Amino acid sequence: GNVALIFELLFPNPLLHLNEQRILERVTLRRAPGSRYLPPPPSLALELVHDLLRGLEALHALRLVHNDVKLSNFLVGIDHASPEIDDRSYFHALEDGLFHGVLIDGGGVRTLEALERLNAGDESVPPIELTPLYAPPEALLGLTGEASERPHHGTATDVYAAALVAFTMLTGYVPYQHLRRQIVATDLAQVLDLKRAERRGDVGPIDREHLRQARFQDSRFADTEHRGHEVCRSHFERDLAQLLLRRVSPDLEERGSATDMKWEFERAFSIHARPRTLLKTAAKIGERGPRTYEQHLFLVIKGDPHARLTEAAGPEQPAGHSQRATPTRPTRNLGSLWGESRDDD
């Protein structure tokens, strides 16, 4: 299933782990100008975001809302991993597709019924602790008591935050980074000012220009030979901008559901279910793992010595000298979601 209430050994978000200084020093490809992160290759980022959307779709089908979707709550499980996994094994597992995205931290999970009561002003419902930068204006500003209407909480909160996570995973830029001032995510007064401006339509969290600056030098579109790299990239940027900007719209109807976003994501970026026979064969030989969906927009070329994940893995180390990708503590958490349905579920 897509929703798990389990103990699972989880590992850092690939974007965050790739950008640890000791790992980034091994990678030739540089960050885009002015960006905070070097993102994972787009083939990996697309599959991870798809996992996130499938997990949210499953959670919303249960009439539950996560309320705290963000990068640090989006980790990975590595197939057949042990607590002793090192950086080399971690990054090679990502290259081989032996992973699944996991959304953790269910402390903010609420039922839709509870949120409807909260929206109606029922003070008996405990308030929600949001991460301000990832919260949409309609959910955050009403909590300050300054808005003309009550705050609105619902599934659209998760959709908005998922769009911001997808934006950073695919570009390396963080929300609002295009504004000509430093944004401190922990500065609540500054974030509230941003959300007020966003509500007025003066600013937005996502900038089209940053989509054009994403780092694709070590990646190749599958249709390059027929249409050319620049045409493929132009279509990708256009589709990604349309999809993400719609999900941060102040119009909740336009923003749509997690299911809407997942379907549009699959159509725009060629994410398809893998044939069941191929799944069983792959599971036996350990190739690409038992993932039920995969992207076909970008070619996945193994063994490229200049690919960012290969470089991040580093050279093979003598026994006892490798750097570990420190796992997070196993978590029993209703918010632990993974967007893969396995044959043995």
Side-chain angles (χ1 to χ4, degrees):
N2 292 352
V3 181
L5 179 58
I6 57 175
F7 286 96
E8 182 179 10
L9 191 65
L10 300 178
F11 296 86
N13 182 298
L15 178 142
L16 299 178
H17 194 41
L18 178 64
N19 284 269
E20 291 182 16
Q21 188 59 37
R22 63 181 176 80
I23 293 174
L24 204 57
E25 289 174 353
R26 300 197 287 255
V27 181
T28 304
L29 187 61
R30 300 292 88 188
R31 295 191 294 261
S35 66
R36 183 173 298 180
Y37 301 111
L38 175 68
S43 55
L44 172 60
L46 287 174
E47 292 186 351
L48 282 170
V49 173
H50 187 251
D51 282 357
L52 172 63
L53 297 178
R54 293 189 69 204
L56 287 177
E57 178 185 45
L59 191 66
H60 295 174
L62 296 174
R63 297 185 62 76
L64 298 171
V65 179
H66 187 275
N67 289 308
D68 201 18
V69 177
K70 56 184 178 181
L71 275 176
S72 58
N73 279 345
F74 188 39
L75 309 181
V76 292
I78 302 294
D79 296 357
H80 315 302
S82 73
E84 306 303 314
I85 188 172
D86 58 17
D87 290 337
R88 186 173 177 83
S89 299
Y90 169 90
F91 285 110
H92 283 325
L94 296 179
E95 284 187 303
D96 293 338
L98 301 173
F99 66 87
H100 50 272
V102 182
L103 181 62
I104 66 164
D105 192 358
V109 171
R110 296 288 188 277
T111 65
L112 277 174
E113 288 76 14
L115 293 179
E116 288 167 359
R117 288 165 51 204
L118 187 62
N119 292 341
D122 187 340
E123 296 182 357
S124 68
V125 180
I128 298 172
E129 294 185 7
L130 301 166
T131 299
L133 193 70
Y134 286 86
E138 77 275 356
L140 183 62
L141 292 179
L143 298 178
T144 67
E146 63 186 69
S148 59
E149 69 266 13
R150 294 190 178 97
H152 185 279
H153 302 283
T155 57
T157 298
D158 287 348
V159 171
Y160 177 96
L164 300 190
V165 169
F167 173 66
T168 302
M169 290 290 295
L170 284 157
T171 69
Y173 290 94
V174 296
Y176 307 102
Q177 197 168 352
H178 57 286
L179 302 179
R180 294 186 177 181
R181 61 183 185 273
Q182 184 177 3
I183 307 300
V184 181
T186 55
D187 186 339
L188 182 58
Q190 184 186 42
V191 174
L192 286 173
D193 282 342
L194 277 176
K195 299 297 179 177
R196 293 186 192 104
E198 185 177 345
R199 190 167 195 158
R200 294 192 302 267
D202 297 340
V203 302
I206 292 172
D207 182 57
R208 286 178 179 267
E209 183 59 31
H210 285 168
L211 300 176
R212 289 191 282 270
Q213 295 177 5
R215 307 277 87 176
F216 291 172
Q217 285 87 331
D218 61 348
S219 301
R220 182 182 174 190
F221 289 94
D223 203 23
T224 296
E225 292 185 5
H226 295 95
R227 296 195 297 171
H229 176 83
E230 291 306 317
V231 172
C232 291
R233 174 153 186 157
S234 175
H235 289 181
F236 175 75
E237 292 167 357
R238 177 202 63 198
D239 293 342
L240 184 61
Q242 290 177 349
L243 188 150
L244 296 183
L245 290 173
R246 178 183 170 192
R247 267 69 205 189
V248 296
S249 168
D251 184 333
L252 302 190
E253 292 296 325
E254 183 181 358
R255 201 178 295 171
S257 67
T259 297
D260 294 334
M261 187 175 178
K262 186 203 73 168
W263 284 347
E264 188 174 345
F265 205 80
E266 290 173 351
R267 289 193 300 269
F269 307 128
S270 300
I271 297 175
H272 308 301
R274 305 185 76 203
R276 185 165 291 272
T277 54
L278 182 59
L279 278 174
K280 292 180 178 179
T281 301
K284 288 179 181 178
I285 64 176
E287 183 177 305
R288 287 290 296 166
R291 295 184 62 78
T292 55
Y293 282 77
E294 64 181 358
Q295 65 82 35
H296 295 270
L297 187 66
F298 291 90
L299 294 176
V300 178
I301 303 173
K302 294 184 182 180
D304 180 353
H306 301 296
R308 69 192 86 174
L309 294 184
T310 302
E311 290 184 330
E316 189 168 359
Q317 299 289 331
H321 288 75
S322 57
Q323 294 284 340
R324 295 180 184 176
T326 305
T328 63
R329 187 168 55 188
T331 303
R332 181 180 185 273
N333 197 309
L334 182 59
S336 293
L337 311 175
W338 49 307
E340 288 294 310
S341 296
R342 306 297 183 98
D343 289 337
D344 58 354
D345 281 347

